[in-house]
Short mmCIF file of all heavy atoms in Angstrom, two decimals:
data_model
loop_
_atom_site.label_atom_id
_atom_site.label_comp_id
_atom_site.label_asym_id
_atom_site.label_seq_id
_atom_site.Cartn_x
_atom_site.Cartn_y
_atom_site.Cartn_z
N ILE A 106 0.82 -1.17 0.01
CA ILE A 106 -0.01 -0.02 0.08
C ILE A 106 0.86 1.21 -0.04
O ILE A 106 0.51 2.26 -0.65
CB ILE A 106 -1.01 0.01 1.23
CG1 ILE A 106 -1.93 -1.25 1.05
CG2 ILE A 106 -1.77 1.21 1.28
CD1 ILE A 106 -3.00 -1.34 2.22
N ALA A 107 1.94 1.20 0.90
CA ALA A 107 2.68 2.54 0.97
C ALA A 107 3.27 2.96 -0.39
O ALA A 107 3.20 4.06 -0.84
CB ALA A 107 3.86 2.32 2.03
N ASP A 108 3.88 1.95 -1.03
CA ASP A 108 4.42 2.29 -2.39
C ASP A 108 3.34 2.59 -3.38
O ASP A 108 3.60 3.41 -4.35
CB ASP A 108 5.35 1.17 -2.88
CG ASP A 108 6.73 1.04 -2.14
OD1 ASP A 108 7.23 2.20 -1.56
OD2 ASP A 108 7.32 0.05 -2.09
N ALA A 109 2.22 1.86 -3.34
CA ALA A 109 1.20 2.05 -4.30
C ALA A 109 0.65 3.53 -4.04
O ALA A 109 0.19 4.11 -5.11
CB ALA A 109 0.05 1.10 -4.17
N MET A 110 0.56 4.06 -2.89
CA MET A 110 -0.05 5.31 -2.72
C MET A 110 0.92 6.48 -2.94
O MET A 110 0.50 7.45 -3.56
CB MET A 110 -0.40 5.44 -1.17
CG MET A 110 -1.60 4.62 -0.72
SD MET A 110 -2.02 4.88 1.04
CE MET A 110 -2.44 6.66 1.09
N ILE A 111 2.19 6.35 -2.60
CA ILE A 111 3.15 7.38 -2.74
C ILE A 111 4.12 7.24 -3.85
O ILE A 111 4.44 8.14 -4.64
CB ILE A 111 3.94 7.57 -1.38
CG1 ILE A 111 2.95 7.99 -0.40
CG2 ILE A 111 5.10 8.56 -1.56
CD1 ILE A 111 3.59 8.16 1.04
N GLY A 112 4.49 5.97 -4.12
CA GLY A 112 5.39 5.66 -5.27
C GLY A 112 6.80 5.15 -4.82
O GLY A 112 7.19 5.43 -3.64
N MET A 113 7.38 4.49 -5.56
CA MET A 113 8.81 3.94 -5.23
C MET A 113 9.81 5.02 -5.29
O MET A 113 9.85 5.91 -6.21
CB MET A 113 9.19 2.74 -6.27
CG MET A 113 8.33 1.53 -6.21
SD MET A 113 8.74 0.60 -4.70
CE MET A 113 10.36 -0.02 -5.11
N ASN A 114 10.77 5.03 -4.36
CA ASN A 114 11.90 6.03 -4.33
C ASN A 114 11.35 7.41 -4.35
O ASN A 114 11.87 8.29 -4.94
CB ASN A 114 12.88 5.82 -5.52
CG ASN A 114 13.48 4.34 -5.58
OD1 ASN A 114 13.54 3.77 -4.65
ND2 ASN A 114 13.77 4.04 -6.90
N THR A 115 10.20 7.55 -3.59
CA THR A 115 9.55 8.81 -3.75
C THR A 115 9.30 9.31 -2.29
O THR A 115 9.18 8.74 -1.34
CB THR A 115 8.14 8.60 -4.32
OG1 THR A 115 8.36 8.07 -5.73
CG2 THR A 115 7.38 9.88 -4.49
N PHE A 116 9.26 10.70 -2.23
CA PHE A 116 8.88 11.42 -0.93
C PHE A 116 7.97 12.61 -1.36
O PHE A 116 7.78 12.96 -2.56
CB PHE A 116 10.08 11.93 -0.13
CG PHE A 116 10.83 13.04 -0.88
CD1 PHE A 116 10.50 14.47 -0.66
CD2 PHE A 116 11.94 12.68 -1.69
CE1 PHE A 116 11.32 15.39 -1.24
CE2 PHE A 116 12.76 13.75 -2.24
CZ PHE A 116 12.30 15.08 -2.04
N GLN A 117 7.19 13.10 -0.35
CA GLN A 117 6.24 14.08 -0.54
C GLN A 117 6.44 15.38 0.29
O GLN A 117 6.96 15.18 1.48
CB GLN A 117 4.78 13.56 -0.35
CG GLN A 117 4.30 12.57 -1.36
CD GLN A 117 2.96 12.11 -1.18
OE1 GLN A 117 2.34 12.26 -0.08
NE2 GLN A 117 2.24 11.78 -2.23
N VAL A 118 6.20 16.43 -0.13
CA VAL A 118 6.18 17.69 0.58
C VAL A 118 4.67 18.01 0.87
O VAL A 118 3.93 18.15 -0.25
CB VAL A 118 6.89 18.85 -0.18
CG1 VAL A 118 6.82 20.09 0.75
CG2 VAL A 118 8.37 18.47 -0.55
N ARG A 119 4.32 18.00 2.04
CA ARG A 119 2.88 18.20 2.44
C ARG A 119 2.65 19.33 3.51
O ARG A 119 3.60 19.65 4.12
CB ARG A 119 2.32 16.91 3.02
CG ARG A 119 2.73 15.58 2.34
CD ARG A 119 2.23 14.34 3.18
NE ARG A 119 0.96 14.26 3.32
CZ ARG A 119 0.01 13.59 2.50
NH1 ARG A 119 0.60 12.99 1.48
NH2 ARG A 119 -1.26 13.49 2.79
N ARG A 120 1.47 19.72 3.41
CA ARG A 120 1.06 20.81 4.43
C ARG A 120 1.10 20.20 5.87
O ARG A 120 1.60 20.82 6.82
CB ARG A 120 -0.35 21.32 4.02
CG ARG A 120 -0.86 22.46 5.10
CD ARG A 120 -2.14 23.06 4.44
NE ARG A 120 -2.74 23.94 5.44
CZ ARG A 120 -3.87 23.60 6.11
NH1 ARG A 120 -4.52 22.38 5.80
NH2 ARG A 120 -4.42 24.47 6.91
N VAL A 121 0.48 18.97 5.96
CA VAL A 121 0.48 18.29 7.24
C VAL A 121 1.01 16.89 7.09
O VAL A 121 0.84 16.36 5.97
CB VAL A 121 -0.99 18.21 7.89
CG1 VAL A 121 -1.36 19.68 8.12
CG2 VAL A 121 -1.99 17.62 6.87
N PRO A 122 1.52 16.17 8.13
CA PRO A 122 1.97 14.82 7.94
C PRO A 122 0.81 13.87 7.77
O PRO A 122 -0.26 14.13 8.10
CB PRO A 122 2.76 14.56 9.22
CG PRO A 122 2.12 15.58 10.20
CD PRO A 122 1.75 16.68 9.43
N ILE A 123 1.17 12.65 7.23
CA ILE A 123 0.23 11.57 7.13
C ILE A 123 -0.40 11.16 8.36
O ILE A 123 -1.61 10.91 8.52
CB ILE A 123 0.82 10.37 6.34
CG1 ILE A 123 1.25 10.78 4.88
CG2 ILE A 123 -0.06 9.12 6.35
CD1 ILE A 123 2.01 9.73 4.29
N SER A 124 0.33 11.09 9.42
CA SER A 124 -0.13 10.79 10.71
C SER A 124 -0.81 11.84 11.44
O SER A 124 -0.71 11.97 12.73
CB SER A 124 1.08 10.25 11.59
OG SER A 124 2.07 11.21 11.67
N LEU A 125 -1.63 12.74 10.84
CA LEU A 125 -2.22 13.82 11.40
C LEU A 125 -3.19 13.37 12.59
O LEU A 125 -3.15 14.04 13.58
CB LEU A 125 -3.06 14.58 10.35
CG LEU A 125 -3.94 15.87 10.92
CD1 LEU A 125 -3.00 16.79 11.39
CD2 LEU A 125 -4.82 16.35 9.82
N GLY A 126 -3.85 12.31 12.44
CA GLY A 126 -4.73 11.81 13.56
C GLY A 126 -4.12 11.52 14.79
O GLY A 126 -4.94 11.35 15.87
N MET A 127 -2.90 11.43 14.92
CA MET A 127 -2.12 10.96 16.09
C MET A 127 -1.65 12.17 16.85
O MET A 127 -0.89 12.13 17.81
CB MET A 127 -0.97 10.10 15.76
CG MET A 127 -1.35 8.89 15.01
SD MET A 127 -2.77 7.91 15.56
CE MET A 127 -1.91 7.05 17.00
N PHE A 128 -2.01 13.37 16.51
CA PHE A 128 -1.53 14.64 17.19
C PHE A 128 -2.59 15.12 18.06
O PHE A 128 -3.77 14.86 18.01
CB PHE A 128 -1.16 15.71 16.20
CG PHE A 128 0.04 15.43 15.44
CD1 PHE A 128 -0.06 14.96 14.09
CD2 PHE A 128 1.37 15.72 15.85
CE1 PHE A 128 1.14 14.59 13.34
CE2 PHE A 128 2.52 15.32 15.30
CZ PHE A 128 2.37 14.94 13.95
N THR A 129 -2.18 16.05 19.11
CA THR A 129 -2.98 16.73 20.00
C THR A 129 -3.90 17.76 19.34
O THR A 129 -3.57 18.15 18.33
CB THR A 129 -2.33 17.22 21.26
OG1 THR A 129 -1.47 18.25 20.73
CG2 THR A 129 -1.42 16.26 21.90
N ASP A 130 -4.94 18.18 19.98
CA ASP A 130 -5.76 19.18 19.48
C ASP A 130 -4.91 20.55 19.19
O ASP A 130 -5.20 21.18 18.18
CB ASP A 130 -6.91 19.55 20.45
CG ASP A 130 -7.92 18.39 20.45
OD1 ASP A 130 -7.95 17.57 19.59
OD2 ASP A 130 -8.69 18.39 21.42
N ASP A 131 -4.05 20.88 20.13
CA ASP A 131 -3.25 22.05 19.91
C ASP A 131 -2.31 21.93 18.67
O ASP A 131 -2.13 22.84 17.97
CB ASP A 131 -2.37 22.41 21.19
CG ASP A 131 -3.26 22.86 22.40
OD1 ASP A 131 -4.41 23.34 22.07
OD2 ASP A 131 -2.81 22.78 23.51
N GLU A 132 -1.66 20.74 18.65
CA GLU A 132 -0.84 20.58 17.38
C GLU A 132 -1.61 20.50 16.10
O GLU A 132 -1.19 21.17 15.13
CB GLU A 132 -0.13 19.21 17.51
CG GLU A 132 0.98 19.16 18.64
CD GLU A 132 1.52 17.74 18.97
OE1 GLU A 132 0.79 16.86 18.82
OE2 GLU A 132 2.70 17.70 19.29
N PHE A 133 -2.84 20.01 16.23
CA PHE A 133 -3.76 20.03 14.99
C PHE A 133 -3.98 21.40 14.66
O PHE A 133 -4.03 21.74 13.37
CB PHE A 133 -5.00 19.21 15.28
CG PHE A 133 -6.00 19.23 14.16
CD1 PHE A 133 -5.83 18.50 13.05
CD2 PHE A 133 -7.10 20.09 14.16
CE1 PHE A 133 -6.81 18.53 12.07
CE2 PHE A 133 -8.02 20.10 13.25
CZ PHE A 133 -7.93 19.34 12.13
N ARG A 134 -4.44 22.27 15.58
CA ARG A 134 -4.77 23.70 15.24
C ARG A 134 -3.59 24.39 14.72
O ARG A 134 -3.76 25.15 13.74
CB ARG A 134 -5.31 24.34 16.62
CG ARG A 134 -6.80 24.04 16.93
CD ARG A 134 -7.37 24.87 17.96
NE ARG A 134 -6.78 24.59 19.18
CZ ARG A 134 -7.20 23.73 20.12
NH1 ARG A 134 -8.29 23.06 19.83
NH2 ARG A 134 -6.57 23.59 21.30
N THR A 135 -2.31 24.12 15.21
CA THR A 135 -1.15 24.76 14.75
C THR A 135 -0.98 24.39 13.22
O THR A 135 -0.63 25.26 12.29
CB THR A 135 -0.01 24.36 15.52
OG1 THR A 135 -0.16 24.86 16.95
CG2 THR A 135 1.21 25.03 14.98
N MET A 136 -1.09 23.13 12.94
CA MET A 136 -0.97 22.64 11.56
C MET A 136 -2.08 23.22 10.59
O MET A 136 -1.77 23.43 9.42
CB MET A 136 -1.01 21.10 11.50
CG MET A 136 0.32 20.50 12.18
SD MET A 136 0.20 18.76 12.16
CE MET A 136 1.65 18.41 13.12
N GLN A 137 -3.27 23.35 11.17
CA GLN A 137 -4.30 23.97 10.32
C GLN A 137 -3.92 25.43 9.92
O GLN A 137 -4.50 25.84 8.78
CB GLN A 137 -5.60 23.93 10.97
CG GLN A 137 -6.18 22.54 11.18
CD GLN A 137 -6.46 21.98 9.84
OE1 GLN A 137 -5.77 21.15 9.25
NE2 GLN A 137 -7.66 22.29 9.30
N ARG A 138 -3.07 26.01 10.58
CA ARG A 138 -2.74 27.37 10.22
C ARG A 138 -1.66 27.52 9.17
O ARG A 138 -1.23 28.60 8.70
CB ARG A 138 -2.34 28.15 11.44
CG ARG A 138 -3.51 28.49 12.38
CD ARG A 138 -3.21 29.55 13.44
NE ARG A 138 -2.17 29.05 14.48
CZ ARG A 138 -2.56 28.50 15.58
NH1 ARG A 138 -3.76 28.31 15.88
NH2 ARG A 138 -1.59 27.98 16.36
N ARG A 139 -1.05 26.43 8.92
CA ARG A 139 0.02 26.30 7.84
C ARG A 139 -0.47 26.65 6.50
O ARG A 139 -1.58 26.42 6.10
CB ARG A 139 0.69 24.94 7.76
CG ARG A 139 1.45 24.52 9.03
CD ARG A 139 1.93 23.05 8.81
NE ARG A 139 2.92 22.66 9.91
CZ ARG A 139 3.48 21.51 9.92
NH1 ARG A 139 3.22 20.66 8.91
NH2 ARG A 139 4.32 21.20 10.94
#
């Protein structure tokens, strides 16, 4: 799945990390302002 979603030898520049759901509410609000 990981390679199928993102690609082989690949990285992504994102506004928020993939693991967004594992952050606290304060961290989430900070990332939403990015």
Side-chain angles (χ1 to χ4, degrees):
I106 298 179
D108 285 339
M110 288 181 62
I111 295 180
M113 293 285 291
N114 304 335
T115 299
F116 66 91
Q117 289 185 334
V118 181
R119 311 171 64 92
R120 178 169 171 256
V121 296
I123 292 174
S124 54
L125 178 61
M127 308 306 290
F128 290 100
T129 65
D130 290 343
D131 288 341
E132 290 171 327
F133 176 78
R134 282 191 290 269
T135 299
M136 290 179 185
Q137 287 297 96
R138 291 194 291 269
R139 289 179 174 182

